[in-house]
Amino acid sequence: VSSELPGYDIAALRRQIPALGSMIPMCNCSQAPQTDATRAAAARYLESWRVRGMDWDVWMQEVALAKAAFASLINASPDDIAVFSSVSDAASAVASAIDFTGHRRDVLATEAEFPTIGHVWLAQEQRGAHVRWIAVKDGGIDPTEYERRVNDDTAIVSACHGYYLNGALQDISAIADVAHQNGSLVFVDAYQSAGAVPIDVKASGVDFLASGTLKYLMGIPGIAFLYVRPDRVDRLHPTVTGWFGRENPFAFEVNKLDWAPNARRFDAGTPPIMNAYIARAGMEMIAEIGVAKIRAWHELLSKRLINGAALRHLCVSAPLRRGSLKTANTAFEVKDSHAVEEAMRRKGVLASARGPVIRLAPHFYNIIDDVDTALDVLAEVTRA
Ligand SMILES: Cc1ncc(COP(=O)(O)O)c(C=O)c1O
């Protein structure tokens, strides 16, 4: 048993996650466990619905509070945030606001994007876009590729912050610099980093940044947020839209299309209200602990995973050479990842299978013993 501890009261936090009594969740790259707070938030919505019957003002306020909670995690203002049901929806709305009929038609996307992002850009080829790909090499994206590939034809660069397969991190500030020097926009998918890696949209200068909440933000599916850089908003008119994108959604003017003056113009239909309650509870927990402190603990757990893998002759997926430039996710090459996930679950460890790898993605609440047990179980089931 190691004596190393994180910079927060991990024992108190663990008491707020009932699942820890019966399993070791190490699958935050896929789904975070329930906390007392997220459960209470869901109950709060159900109670409001039961007791008040209909409470739109309060419900809309909850959505605004969830946007504000996301904004504060990435150093944005609540006005810079739009709400969606998924990152796919958010990316589609961004794509719909870009003109692919002029001379800038290229979308420069990486093969490390989550497939849904690639699909969104490929669908834009119907609107004139040309999708160019930066290949994954040695388990990651070579950062010099951006300088080589972004040019006057590039309308937008699409870069994930963390690679969903193995956690490799990209420097989004450097990517934004290269894009902007060439007059291109930048879209960042931060689903695998939000809540795990400090993000400052102002310092990095990115134009768009999207994330859902069910991974390191401790939430659930069915809600995602999009940051839109405020000085870009005026020229963006998403054709994926709806009444909540209007200056005043409650004006009910069917034959008038105006645009909210801020990122709210990317909102479309009635927002996912119950999910907003839960999302805020998850994000507030992360904010209270502090993403920098979480990151420090993740780095320690990652080292333990990587060193422990070597001791047990497990094959860690690249890119280890990039040192600490990874999220909390450590991936292991296995033969049948789905079967490994199932076998590990039977032994009380939740891991996450993706294609050729099994991912162990701890979070702030995991202790070093969790990591050691997960590695022991992985070694046992892969040897069986
Ligand atoms: C990096 C990344 N982007 C996007 C998604 C999926 O987004 P959604 O289902 O909200 O469209 C995931 C889900 O695993 C992901 O890891």
Side-chain angles (χ1 to χ4, degrees):
V1 178
S2 168
S3 58
E4 283 171 292
L5 286 170
Y8 47 83
D9 186 350
I10 192 168
L13 292 166
R14 284 175 65 83
R15 284 195 291 276
Q16 298 169 39
I17 303 176
L20 297 181
S22 57
M23 63 183 92
I24 299 177
M26 293 273 285
C27 55
N28 278 274
C29 56
S30 179
Q31 171 67 62
Q34 192 182 99
T35 66
D36 292 342
T38 45
R39 188 179 181 85
R44 224 158 40 77
Y45 170 73
L46 292 175
E47 196 59 9
S48 145
W49 184 20
R50 186 178 68 85
V51 173
R52 304 266 308 158
M54 178 173 83
D55 209 357
W56 284 106
D57 288 347
V58 167
W59 295 344
M60 289 301 115
Q61 185 58 23
E62 281 289 340
V63 176
L65 289 170
K67 283 186 177 184
F70 182 72
S72 87
L73 275 174
I74 60 168
N75 192 29
S77 138
D79 285 346
D80 306 337
I81 309 297
V83 65
F84 296 86
S85 293
S86 68
V87 164
S88 308
D89 291 349
S92 283
V94 169
S96 82
I98 296 173
D99 178 8
F100 292 113
T101 60
H103 79 278
R104 283 185 187 269
R105 291 178 173 220
D106 285 5
V107 176
L108 185 64
T110 83
E111 286 181 352
E113 300 314 294
F114 193 80
T116 201
I117 301 298
H119 304 156
V120 165
W121 295 125
L122 286 170
Q124 296 303 314
E125 293 197 332
Q126 296 171 68
R127 295 179 58 239
H130 297 154
V131 184
R132 317 280 181 204
W133 298 98
I134 299 182
V136 169
K137 278 203 194 112
D138 299 330
I141 298 294
D142 176 352
T144 64
E145 280 293 292
Y146 292 97
E147 274 159 45
R148 224 171 53 73
R149 303 281 301 276
V150 185
N151 58 35
D152 287 351
D153 296 329
T154 315
I156 190 160
V157 175
S158 179
C160 58
H161 193 191
Y163 183 13
Y164 73 99
L165 263 191
N166 62 19
L169 269 176
Q170 300 203 80
D171 180 347
I172 57 176
S173 301
I175 296 167
D177 284 348
V178 175
H180 293 156
Q181 279 155 23
N182 288 276
S184 165
L185 295 165
V186 183
F187 171 83
V188 173
D189 175 357
Y191 216 150
Q192 288 293 335
S193 58
V197 181
I199 295 174
D200 183 332
V201 284
K202 291 212 178 94
S204 67
V206 298
D207 303 291
F208 306 98
L209 182 138
S211 180
T213 72
L214 61 149
K215 305 183 195 293
Y216 300 99
L217 293 180
M218 301 300 286
I220 55 161
I223 188 163
F225 300 96
L226 172 72
Y227 160 80
V228 184
R229 194 171 137 161
D231 58 348
R232 306 288 195 235
V233 155
D234 273 356
R235 60 176 159 118
L236 298 166
H237 302 100
T239 62
V240 169
T241 191
W243 61 310
F244 278 84
R246 306 287 72 77
E247 223 166 89
N248 174 12
F250 301 99
F252 295 108
E253 291 175 280
V254 66
N255 49 12
K256 184 172 162 207
L257 185 70
D258 58 19
W259 299 96
N262 47 36
R264 203 168 51 70
R265 70 176 56 192
F266 280 83
D267 287 349
T270 309
I273 292 164
M274 183 169 177
N275 303 348
Y277 276 75
I278 298 169
R280 176 158 73 95
M283 290 186 287
E284 283 178 349
M285 190 173 198
I286 295 299
E288 271 163 36
I289 303 166
V291 180
K293 284 183 184 168
I294 292 173
R295 172 76 178 147
W297 186 238
H298 284 171
E299 285 181 340
L300 189 138
L301 295 182
S302 285
K303 268 198 204 116
R304 185 86 181 184
L305 276 165
I306 289 160
N307 295 338
L311 294 173
R312 293 166 181 85
H313 308 291
L314 292 162
C315 182
V316 178
S317 159
L320 288 185
R321 285 179 283 100
R322 294 180 184 81
S324 68
L325 288 183
K326 64 186 278 301
T327 65
N329 172 15
T330 301
F332 301 82
E333 284 160 24
V334 291
K335 271 203 202 87
D336 180 349
S337 62
H338 187 69
V340 170
E341 180 185 308
E342 281 305 307
M344 290 184 77
R345 175 190 274 277
R346 282 195 292 276
K347 292 180 181 291
V349 176
L350 300 192
S352 170
R354 272 282 181 273
V357 297
I358 188 90
R359 304 176 297 173
L360 292 181
H363 203 357
F364 63 84
Y365 55 83
N366 284 109
I367 53 176
I368 288 177
D369 280 2
D370 290 346
V371 166
D372 293 348
T373 305
L375 285 170
D376 286 342
V377 168
L378 177 58
E380 192 187 325
V381 305
T382 48
R383 236 162 258 140

